[in-house]
């Protein structure tokens, strides 16, 4: 079959065009690649019109060959008026000015399945171009389509989705906050993750209660994104919510990090209490937060922690106290602690 298809292409007989398209569905991938080339040889314009329906095919090899054929034609014509042609044209280095805007205007009225197919194809070929397209598209589509668009981005590889978000969020988008809140309330895991990332980037303060609410059910990566969002949003509701999170053991060290980053003096007493946690990593995070906030109460707690039974904690507390105090008292505390450590080590037979 493929040999016959190749021969018909070389002969270039117009009457063989329909015969080749009629057997397309029954052919293998390799046969289809040969048929596509033969169709181009017989009648290029008809071939492009026929083949463009397959540009979104999931078969990477077949899609690449069809795209090559269409690209070669478009590069010569530098024109196109269908979604498929414009999507291919958009990927050409020497595309005409206004190609992206033209594609957006045409596709915004189409079913979202087609929009999704175009975005997936662009993302596979060039995530940067895809980001440029999405940034223009999101400004003209409905809130429902925006939600579908963000859900689609959430399903992509992390590097690609971040690259697209860089483009998409470069300008203010009025409809996106409501979509973010909706996805945080009712989305699946990946949708909540992308919504949390968008909330972080554009500082959606209204998202704070929802972000805290989904913490218990979150994966480790989503949890990290949520706490990073808290740092970036950084208003009073965040501080209040993080003080509450200090009371929850599994969130304590990350909540302390956020409060330290925000230099939240309101959290002084809560941090002092969190300093009694038995876990070294938690107390270390609390100490870092204390250094960022400072104050007499903090210094008193740090002096107490210099006598902590965990040597790593006592040393960290000393260093924190030195940073905050910068006085002879801090030097005296250092000296006393080192003497005590030396005594304890000597009693255990150490030569330190």
């Amino acid at each position: 079959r493929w040999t016959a298809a190749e021969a018909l292409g070389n002969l270039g007989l117009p009457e063989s065009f329909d015969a080749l398209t009629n057997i397309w569905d029954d052919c293998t991938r390799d046969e289809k690649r040969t048929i596509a080339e033969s169709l181009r040889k017989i009648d290029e314009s008809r071939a492009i019109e026929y083949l463009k329906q397959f540009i979104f095919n999931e078969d990477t090899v077949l899609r690449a060959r069809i795209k090559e054929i269409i690209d070669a034609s478009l590069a010569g014509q530098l024109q196109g008026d269908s979604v498929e042609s414009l999507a291919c044209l958009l990927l050409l280095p020497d595309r005409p000015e206004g190609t992206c805007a033209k594609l957006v205007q045409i596709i915004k009225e189409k079913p979202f399945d087609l929009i999704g197919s175009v975005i997936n194809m662009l993302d596979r070929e060039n995530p940067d171009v895809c980001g440029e397209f999405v940034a223009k598209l999101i400004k003209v589509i409905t809130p429902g389509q925006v939600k579908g668009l963000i859900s689609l981005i959430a399903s992509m590889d992390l590097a690609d989705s971040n690259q697209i978000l860089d483009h998409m969020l470069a300008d203010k988008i009025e409809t996106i906050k409501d979509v973010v809140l909706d996805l945080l309330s009712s989305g699946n895991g990946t949708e909540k993750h992308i919504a949390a990332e968008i909330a972080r980037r554009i500082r959606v303060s209204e998202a704070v209660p929802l972000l805290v609410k989904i913490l218990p059910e979150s994966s480790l990566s989503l949890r990290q994104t949520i706490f990073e969002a808290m740092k970036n949003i950084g208003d009073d509701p965040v501080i209040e919510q993080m003080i509450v999170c200090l009371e929850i053991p599994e969130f304590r060290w990350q909540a302390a990090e956020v409060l330290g980053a925000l230099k939240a003096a309101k959290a002084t007493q809560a941090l002092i209490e969190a300093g009694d946690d038995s876990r070294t990593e938690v107390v270390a995070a609390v100490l870092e937060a204390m250094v960022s906030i400072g104050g007499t109460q903090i210094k008193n707690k740090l002096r107490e922690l210099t006598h902590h039974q965990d040597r790593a904690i006592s040393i960290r507390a000393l260093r924190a106290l030195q940073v905050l105090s910068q006085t002879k008292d801090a030097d005296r505390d250092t000296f006393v602690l080192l003497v005590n450590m030396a005594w304890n080590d000597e009693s255990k037979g150490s030569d330190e």
Side-chain angles (χ1 to χ4, degrees):
R1 181 176 284 168
W2 72 266
T3 305
E6 185 177 40
L8 289 173
N10 291 332
L11 290 171
L13 300 174
E15 56 267 32
S16 63
F17 192 96
D18 289 340
L20 290 172
T21 58
N22 287 338
I23 64 170
W24 178 274
D25 290 339
D26 296 326
C27 292
T28 65
R29 173 211 283 169
D30 290 338
E31 289 169 345
K32 287 178 180 178
R33 292 174 65 192
T34 302
I35 290 173
E37 179 59 27
S38 294
L39 292 175
R40 183 191 68 79
K41 291 178 179 178
I42 293 168
D43 188 330
E44 185 174 66
S45 60
R46 283 186 69 192
I48 300 306
E49 191 62 30
Y50 177 75
L51 292 172
K52 68 184 184 182
Q53 64 183 300
F54 306 114
I55 193 63
F56 306 126
N57 194 291
E58 293 298 326
D59 187 317
T60 304
V61 176
L62 178 61
R63 186 183 71 248
R65 183 62 191 131
I66 292 174
K67 182 178 176 299
E68 285 174 6
I69 293 171
I70 295 177
D71 283 355
S73 173
L74 292 173
Q77 300 173 25
L78 286 182
Q79 61 185 5
D81 55 6
S82 69
V83 168
E84 296 85 357
S85 296
L86 285 167
C88 291
L89 194 58
L90 189 61
L91 292 165
L92 296 181
D94 55 350
R95 71 187 188 222
E97 185 177 351
T99 299
C100 189
K102 186 175 181 181
L103 177 57
V104 167
Q105 288 304 311
I106 290 176
I107 205 171
K108 69 178 184 179
E109 306 296 339
K110 303 291 185 181
F112 189 80
D113 285 349
L114 179 58
I115 295 175
S117 295
V118 170
I119 291 172
N120 279 325
M121 188 272 282
L122 293 176
D123 176 57
R124 286 191 295 259
E125 302 293 337
N126 190 327
D128 199 47
V129 171
C130 185
E132 178 189 351
F133 170 70
V134 169
K136 293 183 183 299
L137 179 67
I138 198 170
K139 296 176 182 177
V140 299
I141 56 179
T142 66
Q145 289 174 315
V146 171
K147 183 177 179 181
L149 180 59
I150 294 175
S151 297
L152 179 61
I153 295 171
S155 67
M156 296 177 179
D157 290 340
L158 182 60
D160 289 352
S161 64
N162 281 331
Q163 194 168 352
I164 292 172
L165 288 181
D166 289 341
H167 286 275
M168 190 179 83
L169 301 177
D171 297 321
K172 186 176 181 181
I173 306 165
E174 295 296 336
T175 58
I176 202 166
K177 284 189 178 182
D178 289 340
V179 173
V180 165
L181 298 177
D182 187 11
L183 288 175
L184 286 174
S185 297
S186 58
N188 59 33
T190 56
E191 289 169 343
K192 287 178 179 177
H193 202 153
I194 200 77
E197 175 61 17
I198 294 172
R200 180 189 73 81
R201 293 190 183 210
I202 64 174
R203 302 179 68 184
V204 183
S205 58
E206 298 90 337
V208 171
L210 291 171
L211 289 169
V212 173
K213 184 178 180 180
I214 64 175
L215 267 174
E217 66 190 53
S218 300
S219 64
L220 290 177
S221 60
L222 174 53
R223 185 177 299 180
Q224 184 62 35
T225 300
I226 289 173
F227 283 111
E228 289 299 321
M230 295 298 178
K231 290 180 187 177
N232 207 40
I233 295 170
D235 54 11
D236 284 343
V238 167
I239 293 173
E240 292 168 5
Q241 294 283 0
M242 291 300 96
I243 290 174
V244 172
C245 284
L246 277 178
E247 300 175 4
I248 305 172
E250 61 183 311
F251 303 146
R252 188 167 291 152
W253 72 268
Q254 288 171 305
E257 280 191 347
V258 174
L259 291 168
L262 299 179
K263 302 184 186 303
K266 290 182 178 179
T268 295
Q269 185 57 42
L271 285 167
I272 288 172
E273 294 172 5
D276 294 329
D277 196 289
S278 60
R279 294 165 295 173
T280 301
E281 68 275 13
V282 174
V283 180
V286 171
L287 287 172
E288 292 296 324
M290 287 179 173
V291 171
S292 298
I293 296 169
T296 302
Q297 290 177 283
I298 292 289
K299 289 179 184 178
N300 290 337
K301 182 63 178 180
L302 289 174
R303 288 191 179 92
E304 177 188 323
L305 289 173
T306 60
H307 304 289
H308 198 281
Q309 61 182 5
D310 186 321
R311 183 172 180 175
I313 293 298
S314 61
I315 291 175
R316 281 176 178 268
L318 262 176
R319 290 172 180 167
L321 191 60
Q322 285 179 303
V323 170
L324 286 178
S325 300
Q326 298 298 319
T327 66
K328 292 181 180 180
D329 286 343
D331 293 335
R332 184 188 65 205
D333 285 340
T334 303
F335 177 74
V336 170
L337 181 65
L338 290 175
V339 169
N340 286 335
M341 287 180 176
W343 177 267
N344 291 334
D345 287 337
E346 185 177 355
S347 67
K348 296 175 184 176
S350 171
D351 293 329
E352 290 187 65

